């Protein structure tokens, strides 16, 4: 039997509960003095909100401001120094086109950065309890060493997909969703966390992101080409050195554009490929649907032809935000479970033991919560591999952790880590995520996997950031060994 | 037992909640499982229940359908730099409102008289359809009236 924490349980059936956009909470005599809080103020994820909940960004926005400054300064210099000459000598259409591109770039950038990427709200306590009950029933009573990993399998379009249970959000993640550890949210159709735009890129803002990088490619090439033209034309008339003296900004613009062009155009090309094959960056990195995994492996979400895939990604219906940030917190409705800074209630033994086992490997990391007693029994079995659990399934890593983005369903080999300027697309490719200095622990610490049979998947990279999948695999490993 | 929601409000207490999870067999589109939960067997007839859930699934499919109209809306929105959504609401939002009205109507006509209440999935992040089961305060002994404990306790 479930009791809600309300004095008057009948609140549950008020009509306001049913309406999708209720904005006034129930007025009761004893509650009138409590000021109304908006839902964004009680949001459990690590996001920042501005303009009373209208704007939503990730916690670390420094790189976003860098992006903005680069775009504004370069474009500003272009309009101020190069456009007068160009519009007189060639055509005034140049600044006009440049202006349109510039506005479009900024518009899509803001749209990508400020909107909800498709965050899945966390489960209410009742839902979480119900799910746990179902899982316990399915797995039988956990009399074993530890409860088995939580996954559900579903067949989509002939392909078997595993749905993982997210310990932080207490839900089974929908297919293609992933938990971003930087923002501490599960995001639908998670693509990647982009520090350049200061937000995750997911279902709701992928099209804006794509249009941003596409238009930025055009703008960069446009500015690059016309600044060169300007310098050449002017040099014919006044000489090269005089040109540089008259228009020093041009040099700066050329340099910035030259270095940006490669990465941004490369990124646009990469995402064009992703869109046409209907994959996310996440899936592509992990090779989820590549034929190398097996003969019958194909992408179940693809519509079969490029045109439909593109239309679906760019022009499909835009679902509304599920988190309703500007709605008011109903004091009598169940609130989602927010993990405390320490151990969360659920699965505490499991995460504690994992974290304890995590101590040996991650002692150098200042951010690890490693105060738990070391459990020798477990370490001898799990070895450094269960230490591969980054900072446990939960609690959520402290904010000082720079570069952990978490993924679901399999061992996180080539997960992307994004920190500052080390965004995955800096070199236009999608294969280099971690440089050795980025990886929080040197690859030398990795012998872990071998005894437990899953090191073959770690190709010299080490991403401790993936909570659940490593959780699960180390659990399996430990169970295997303990059964001997 | 209860003739309308007013009566439900005054004389019943929350006994249990049933959650219908999402059905992902069709991909990431929004569908809910139509499996009839055992807790509801004594409360509502199966065809009525299945009808409600199937209709909800149809509405969600309509919201997410990718056809001429949604492409047109997408292209128009892009051309106006998405400013058009300041004055117009998306097709998805319109269908969600329709769903809200449908659920309200179903609650009034079918579910409340049986002591049940459906919560709109949008309130639960589209993860579940939550059906609350109410018991008559007088008749049920095990779960009486209001609970002032904080947090829910599952038995």
């Amino acid at each position: 039997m479930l009791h809600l924490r309300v004095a008057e349980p009948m609140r549950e059936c008020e009509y306001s509960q049913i309406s999708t956009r209720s904005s006034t909470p129930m007025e009761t005599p004893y509650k009138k003095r409590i000021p109304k809080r908006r839902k964004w103020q009680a949001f459990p994820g690590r996001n920042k909100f501005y303009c009373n909940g209208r704007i939503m960004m990730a916690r670390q926005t420094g790189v976003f401001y860098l992006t903005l400054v680069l775009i504004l300064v370069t474009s500003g210099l272009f309009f101020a120094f190069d456009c007068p000459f160009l519009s007189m000598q060639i055509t005034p259409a140049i600044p006009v086109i440049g202006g349109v591109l510039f506005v479009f770039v900024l518009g899509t950038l803001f749209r990508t950065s400020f909107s909800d990427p498709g965050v899945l709200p966390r489960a209410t306590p009742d839902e979480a309890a119900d799910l746990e009950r179902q899982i316990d029933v399915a797995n039988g009573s956990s009399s074993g060493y530890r409860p088995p990993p939580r996954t559900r399998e579903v067949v989509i379009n002939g392909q078997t997909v595993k749905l993982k249970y997210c310990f932080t959000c207490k839900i089974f993640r929908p297919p293609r969703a992933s938990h971003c550890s930087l923002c501490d949210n599960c995001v639908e159709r998670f693509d990647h966390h982009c520090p350049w735009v200061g937000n995750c890129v997911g279902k709701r803002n992928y099209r804006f992101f794509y249009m941003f990088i596409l238009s930025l490619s055009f703008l960069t090439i446009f500015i690059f080409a016309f600044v060169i033209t300007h310098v050449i034309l002017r040099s014919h008339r006044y000489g090269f050195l005089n040109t540089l003296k008259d228009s020093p900004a041009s040099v700066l613009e050329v340099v910035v554009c030259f270095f940006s062009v490669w990465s941004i155009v490369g990124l646009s090309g990469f995402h064009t490929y992703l869109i046409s094959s209907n994959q996310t960056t996440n899936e592509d990195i992990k090779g989820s649907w590549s034929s190398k995994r097996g003969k019958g492996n194909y992408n179940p979400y693809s519509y079969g032809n490029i045109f439909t895939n593109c239309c679906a990604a760019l022009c499909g219906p835009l679902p509304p935000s599920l988190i309703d940030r500007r709605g008011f917190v109903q004091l009598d409705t169940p609130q989602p479970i927010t993990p405390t800074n320490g151990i969360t209630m659920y699965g505490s033994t499991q995460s504690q033991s994992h974290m304890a086992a995590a101590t040996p490997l991650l002692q150098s990391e200042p951010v690890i919560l490693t105060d738990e007693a070391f459990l020798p029994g477990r370490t001898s079995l799990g070895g450094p591999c269960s230490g591969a659990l980054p900072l446990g399934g939960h609690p959520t890593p402290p904010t000082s952790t720079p570069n952990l983005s978490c993924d679901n369903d399999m061992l996180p080999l080539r997960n992307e880590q994004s920190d500052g300027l080390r965004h995955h697309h800096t070199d236009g490719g999608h294969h280099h995520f971690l440089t050795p200095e980025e990886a929080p622990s040197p690859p030398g610490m990795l012998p872990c996997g071998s005894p437990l049979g899953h090191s073959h998947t770690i190709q010299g990279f080490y991403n401790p950031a993936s909570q659940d999948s490593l959780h699960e695999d180390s659990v399996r490993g430990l169970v295997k060994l303990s059964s001997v | 037992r209860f003739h309308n929601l007013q009566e439900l409000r005054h004389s019943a207490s929350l006994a249990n909640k049933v959650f219908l999870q999402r059905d992902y067999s069709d991909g990431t589109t929004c569908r809910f499982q139509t499996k009839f939960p055992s807790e509801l067997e004594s409360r509502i007839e199966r065809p009525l229940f299945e009808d409600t859930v199937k209709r909800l699934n149809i509405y969600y499919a309509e919201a997410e359908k990718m056809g001429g109209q949604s492409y047109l809306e997408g292209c128009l929105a892009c051309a106006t730099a998405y400013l058009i959504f300041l004055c117009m609401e998306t097709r998805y939002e319109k269908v969600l409102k329709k769903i809200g009205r449908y659920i309200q109507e179903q609650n009034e006509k079918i579910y409340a008289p049986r002591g049940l209440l459906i919560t709109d999935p949008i309130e639960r992040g589209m993860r579940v359809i939550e059906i609350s089961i109410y018991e008559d305060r007088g008749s049920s002994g095990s779960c009486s009236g209001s609970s002032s404990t904080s947090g829910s306790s599952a038995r």
Side-chain angles (χ1 to χ4, degrees):
Chain A
M1 297 296 191
L2 292 171
H3 286 277
L4 295 181
R5 58 173 149 113
V6 294
E8 295 175 52
M10 292 323 301
R11 297 248 170 267
E12 283 301 297
C13 69
E14 292 288 349
Y15 278 124
S16 62
Q17 182 193 9
I18 296 173
S19 72
T20 56
R21 293 284 174 264
S22 61
S23 56
T24 50
M26 290 297 108
E27 289 288 301
T28 54
Y30 62 90
K31 282 179 185 166
K32 259 184 191 143
R33 271 180 247 113
I34 300 172
K36 293 178 203 171
R37 278 179 95 206
R38 291 199 188 250
K39 286 184 188 167
W40 65 266
Q41 291 167 306
F43 189 67
R46 271 190 275 143
N47 286 92
K48 278 194 199 160
F49 295 90
Y50 303 103
C51 289
N52 203 3
R54 291 183 181 88
I55 290 177
M56 172 177 179
M57 294 182 78
R59 180 162 289 202
Q60 278 147 349
T61 50
V63 188
F64 165 71
Y65 292 118
L66 173 68
T67 308
L68 201 56
V69 160
L70 277 175
I71 295 176
L72 288 174
V73 165
T74 312
S75 307
L77 289 176
F78 177 71
F79 289 124
F81 289 97
D82 301 89
C83 280
F85 182 87
L86 288 166
S87 62
M88 278 195 297
Q89 297 299 318
I90 307 182
T91 163
I94 292 176
V96 170
I97 298 175
V100 166
L101 273 177
F102 174 69
V103 167
F104 197 73
V105 162
L106 281 187
T108 47
L109 172 64
F110 291 149
R111 196 81 203 203
T112 311
S113 303
F114 298 156
S115 60
D116 171 14
V119 173
L120 287 168
R122 300 189 183 181
T124 55
D126 294 326
E127 282 177 60
D130 185 67
L131 265 183
E132 279 182 44
R133 232 184 359 255
Q134 284 181 29
I135 294 171
D136 283 339
V137 162
N139 293 333
S141 54
S142 54
S143 54
Y145 195 63
R146 62 181 69 218
R150 299 148 164 248
T151 53
R152 263 186 197 163
E153 292 206 343
V154 69
V155 177
I156 298 176
N157 226 355
Q159 196 75 227
T160 308
V161 174
K162 258 193 190 173
L163 304 183
K164 287 230 165 174
Y165 182 76
C166 180
F167 286 96
T168 313
C169 305
K170 307 230 190 300
I171 56 171
F172 274 96
R173 285 190 209 115
R176 314 191 97 178
S178 188
H179 189 94
C180 174
S181 59
L182 284 164
C183 304
D184 202 25
N185 292 318
C186 271
V187 178
E188 278 189 288
R189 203 188 181 278
F190 181 73
D191 196 83
H192 64 283
H193 181 98
C194 184
W196 298 94
V197 302
N199 205 357
C200 287
V201 177
K203 181 160 95 168
R204 296 187 72 248
N205 64 353
Y206 186 58
R207 68 191 70 185
F208 306 123
F209 176 74
Y210 180 71
M211 289 198 284
F212 166 62
I213 55 176
L214 199 63
S215 53
L216 190 61
S217 313
F218 287 133
L219 183 68
T220 317
I221 294 176
F222 184 85
I223 291 181
F224 187 68
F226 280 108
V227 168
I228 301 267
T229 310
H230 171 216
V231 169
I232 291 177
L233 286 180
R234 208 177 250 248
S235 303
H236 280 325
R237 208 181 289 185
Y238 305 111
F240 186 64
L241 288 173
N242 282 331
T243 307
L244 290 183
K245 218 168 31 163
D246 292 334
S247 180
S250 304
V251 177
L252 176 68
E253 290 167 54
V254 163
V255 167
V256 169
C257 288
F258 181 76
F259 288 112
S260 316
V261 144
W262 302 112
S263 47
I264 293 173
V265 170
L267 188 66
S268 304
F270 173 57
H271 278 281
T272 308
Y273 157 71
L274 285 183
I275 283 184
S276 59
S277 61
N278 201 336
Q279 286 186 84
T280 61
T281 305
N282 214 8
E283 288 164 354
D284 185 75
I285 300 299
K286 295 195 286 206
S288 308
W289 314 122
S290 89
S291 44
K292 292 181 204 152
R293 269 189 188 269
K295 254 193 203 160
N297 206 32
Y298 58 88
N299 183 1
Y301 309 109
S302 170
Y303 294 95
N305 71 78
I306 293 179
F307 181 67
T308 318
N309 283 339
C310 290
C311 284
L314 302 176
C315 312
L318 189 65
S321 172
L322 294 174
I323 54 179
D324 186 28
R325 6 190 229 281
R326 285 177 47 78
F328 287 99
V329 173
Q330 306 255 357
L331 295 165
D332 47 353
T333 50
Q335 294 301 308
I337 299 169
T338 53
T340 56
N341 213 16
I343 315 295
T344 57
M345 290 189 323
Y346 181 74
S348 52
T349 47
Q350 196 169 356
S351 54
Q352 269 168 16
S353 62
H354 279 298
M355 275 169 42
T359 42
L361 245 196
L362 301 169
Q363 263 156 12
S364 54
E365 284 284 316
V367 300
I368 310 299
L369 311 170
T370 50
D371 293 328
E372 281 72 24
F374 204 73
L375 301 176
R378 299 231 171 127
T379 14
S380 61
L381 292 176
C385 206
S386 52
L389 288 184
L391 309 167
H394 14 346
T396 57
T399 48
S400 50
T401 319
N403 43 14
L404 306 172
S405 73
C406 169
D407 287 303
N408 56 354
D409 53 19
M410 35 206 116
L411 250 194
L413 343 170
R414 300 161 285 162
N415 275 341
E416 63 170 26
Q417 297 213 346
S418 44
D419 176 44
L421 300 168
R422 286 170 266 159
H423 193 235
H424 77 283
H425 56 224
T426 40
D427 292 316
H430 53 280
H431 294 298
H432 31 264
F433 279 58
L434 301 175
T435 57
E437 70 266 14
E438 284 173 16
S441 64
M445 280 222 230
L446 283 186
C448 71
S450 16
L452 301 175
H454 33 260
S455 66
H456 64 276
T457 47
I458 303 175
Q459 305 166 356
F461 282 145
Y462 173 58
N463 184 351
S466 128
Q467 1 187 56
D468 295 330
S469 47
L470 273 173
H471 223 137
E472 182 196 12
D473 286 299
S474 54
V475 160
R476 271 201 226 113
L478 285 164
V479 170
K480 233 190 287 177
L481 285 173
S482 66
S483 64
V484 169
Chain B
R1 202 181 309 161
F2 303 102
H3 297 294
N4 52 30
L5 275 164
Q6 292 278 4
E7 217 179 281
L8 191 70
R9 188 181 312 168
H10 292 302
S11 55
S13 67
L14 187 67
N16 202 356
K17 283 186 180 182
V18 180
F19 297 97
L20 289 171
Q21 300 286 340
R22 283 271 293 269
D23 172 16
Y24 293 114
S25 57
D26 204 22
T28 50
T29 51
C30 186
R31 273 179 63 90
F32 290 95
Q33 292 178 357
T34 50
K35 190 171 71 86
F36 189 61
S38 50
E39 292 92 340
L40 296 181
E41 257 164 33
S42 54
R43 307 296 293 245
I44 189 167
E45 298 81 10
R46 187 191 279 246
L48 278 175
F49 171 81
E50 287 184 353
D51 203 46
T52 309
V53 182
K54 282 191 185 141
R55 180 138 287 272
L56 283 175
N57 283 339
I58 290 173
Y59 282 143
Y60 284 118
E62 184 194 325
E64 297 188 349
K65 191 176 69 135
M66 277 181 299
Q69 197 191 348
S70 76
Y71 289 153
L72 196 64
E73 192 183 55
C75 291
L76 180 69
C78 180
T80 60
Y82 292 90
L83 294 171
I84 198 160
F85 290 138
L86 291 172
C87 26
M88 190 182 92
E89 62 176 10
T90 68
R91 205 166 125 261
Y92 207 110
E93 283 167 353
K94 286 197 188 109
V95 177
L96 283 179
K97 286 209 170 129
K98 191 162 73 165
I99 289 172
R101 285 192 299 269
Y102 174 72
I103 290 180
Q104 196 163 331
E105 177 212 327
Q106 289 281 296
N107 273 335
E108 275 177 16
K109 292 201 189 134
I110 301 178
Y111 289 85
R114 291 167 173 76
L116 301 172
L117 200 75
I118 300 181
T119 306
D120 195 334
I122 196 81
E123 306 269 329
R124 296 289 176 260
M126 307 284 264
R127 300 180 297 266
V128 287
I129 299 179
E130 182 182 298
I131 303 177
S132 313
I133 304 176
Y134 288 91
E135 296 280 352
D136 215 3
R137 254 187 209 157
S139 60
S140 158
S142 51
C143 57
S144 52
S146 46
S147 153
S148 52
T149 56
S150 58
S152 54
S153 53
R155 287 204 205 142

